[in-house]
Amino acid sequence: MSLGDHIAAIKREDPAAKSSLEILLCYQGLHAVLFHHVSHWLYLRRFFVTARFISTIARFLTSIEIHPGATIGARLFIDHGLGVVIGETAEIGDDVLLYQGVTIGGTGNERGKRHPTIGNRVVVGTGASVLGNIRLGDEVKVGAGAVVVHSVPEGATVVGIPGRVVRTRSQALGALEHGRVAASGESEPAALDHLNDRIRELEALIHLLLEERVGQARG
């Protein structure tokens, strides 16, 4: 992957990017990935301390923490990037988009593969956490604030705490539209149906209570 390809991918994803020079100088997500290429090269050659030192410098400069052991594909775009964490055994595919506050992490003190595998063209929304040795298939979309602890099939949209699939590939939106995903993890039609059912239950309960009051007054 060339630097030009990476910059071109950021231009496609971010309408705020005005020029290649701006991206090169001002996008900390790009800086973090470039630092990672160096630290990962050292990590693979068992220069562990030097690799961690470089990743620590990168974290200080960018507020993005990528462990040197993580495997990252081509054209990863970390948008804004503040608070993003990617763990040691994480594997990230090509053309992945991560928003600020995302954690690609583990769930405890397990050994071996303990971080997620992220497929190609995956979008992970602001503040979401993807945890454990799970896999997100290609073109998965994770809603803002979701906590995903189970594998997700290709093309699905997952939201909520804990994360659950609300759209499959055949139902998926063309892009992750945060405003169209309910915070509770329900799609809008399902949330409205649930609310209508609850209103009917409350109306029936009020009617029953009124009947009892009338009956007591007559008695």
Side-chain angles (χ1 to χ4, degrees), residues 28-29 32 59 62-67 76-87 92 97-104 124-128:
Q28 71 266 40
R59 180 181 63 184
T62 67
S63 298
I64 297 168
E65 181 172 352
I66 308 176
H67 193 284
L76 169 66
F77 178 27
I78 304 174
D79 193 7
H80 297 292
L82 185 68
V84 168
V85 177
I86 301 175
I92 297 179
L97 172 58
L98 306 179
Y99 286 93
Q100 63 268 27
V102 166
T103 298
I104 309 296
V124 184
T126 302

Side-chain angles (χ1 to χ4, degrees), residues 192 194-206:
L192 290 173
H194 177 77
L195 182 60
N196 287 332
D197 290 341
R198 186 59 177 159
I199 290 172
R200 284 191 288 269
E201 290 174 4
L202 292 173
E203 287 176 341
L205 179 60
I206 291 171

Side-chain angles (χ1 to χ4, degrees), residues 124-209:
V124 184
T126 302
S129 297
V130 184
L131 305 174
N133 183 16
I134 62 174
R135 176 177 176 81
L136 304 189
D138 294 346
E139 299 176 356
V140 162
K141 297 175 178 62
V142 179
V147 178
V148 185
V149 293
H150 299 291
S151 294
V152 180
E154 293 186 0
T157 298
V158 58
V159 299
I161 304 175
R164 64 187 184 90
V165 173
V166 294
R167 291 183 179 89
T168 61
R169 179 185 288 278
S170 61
Q171 300 168 322
L173 297 172
L176 181 65
E177 299 179 58
H178 297 267
R180 294 183 61 184
V181 178
S184 66
E186 294 180 294
S187 61
E188 287 183 356
L192 290 173
D193 288 343
H194 177 77
L195 182 60
N196 287 332
D197 290 341
R198 186 59 177 159
I199 290 172
R200 284 191 288 269
E201 290 174 4
L202 292 173
E203 287 176 341
L205 179 60
I206 291 171
H207 183 69
L208 180 62
L209 290 173

Side-chain angles (χ1 to χ4, degrees), residues 6-94:
H6 201 145
I7 290 175
I10 293 174
K11 282 184 177 179
R12 288 196 302 271
E13 295 289 348
D14 187 4
K18 301 297 189 296
S19 68
S20 298
L21 182 62
E22 178 189 13
I23 293 171
L24 184 61
L25 295 179
C26 304
Y27 275 59
Q28 71 266 40
L30 175 61
H31 302 159
V33 171
L34 295 177
F35 271 111
H36 176 73
H37 287 325
V38 177
S39 65
H40 186 63
W41 187 91
L42 292 166
Y43 184 89
L44 293 178
R45 287 153 183 80
R46 306 185 66 81
F47 295 103
F48 298 129
V49 175
T50 307
R52 286 301 300 270
F53 181 67
I54 290 174
S55 70
T56 299
I57 292 173
R59 180 181 63 184
F60 176 78
L61 294 174
T62 67
S63 298
I64 297 168
E65 181 172 352
I66 308 176
H67 193 284
T71 301
I72 291 177
R75 297 174 297 277
L76 169 66
F77 178 27
I78 304 174
D79 193 7
H80 297 292
L82 185 68
V84 168
V85 177
I86 301 175
E88 179 183 16
T89 61
E91 299 176 44
I92 297 179
D94 297 338

